[in-house]
Amino acid sequence: MNPYLELLRRHPLIFFHLVTAFAALALGLFMLLRRKGTPAHRTLGWCWVVLMTATALATVFIRDHRLPNVLGYTPIHLFTVLVAVSLPMGIAHVRRGNVNGHRKTMTLLYVGSCVIAGLFTLLPGRFLGSLLWGTPMTGIAS
């Protein structure tokens, strides 16, 4: 069976997290490369905010008791805190007219929470990394 269909069947929350995270990664890159300040930028920016919020909320319910953790929360969960703090801060910056602060916050949020967290997630031995590298799915209870 396709490993992603198996993931959807066995772990729908992780599948949801994967889909929203990948969509945020792709849309975020598109946003960073496009012209800023346009109506399209604002609309797509709100779509990115929704994707990032959904991705971060999903992580609150995804736990891993194999790695060093506190109640199932591992160091990668610190990126959830980064999103919870930085996303409202980036929105507040632009609403106050601080475009430079908005740009810096959203760029750092993209790099930290999409790129760096994504790389950590795909390391061999992590659940999604195991899918990518073709090793058996382990670590999350059936």
Side-chain angles (χ1 to χ4, degrees), residues 24-43:
L25 177 72
L27 181 57
L29 179 60
F30 181 73
M31 296 286 295
L32 288 172
L33 298 175
R34 283 183 48 95
R35 186 166 172 253
K36 313 300 184 278
T38 65
H41 176 83
R42 285 187 286 280
T43 300

Side-chain angles (χ1 to χ4, degrees), residues 96-113:
R96 293 183 187 128
N98 182 356
V99 175
N100 192 42
H102 172 75
R103 183 182 312 112
K104 285 181 182 178
T105 301
M106 294 309 212
T107 301
L108 288 173
L109 182 59
Y110 177 80
V111 170
S113 292

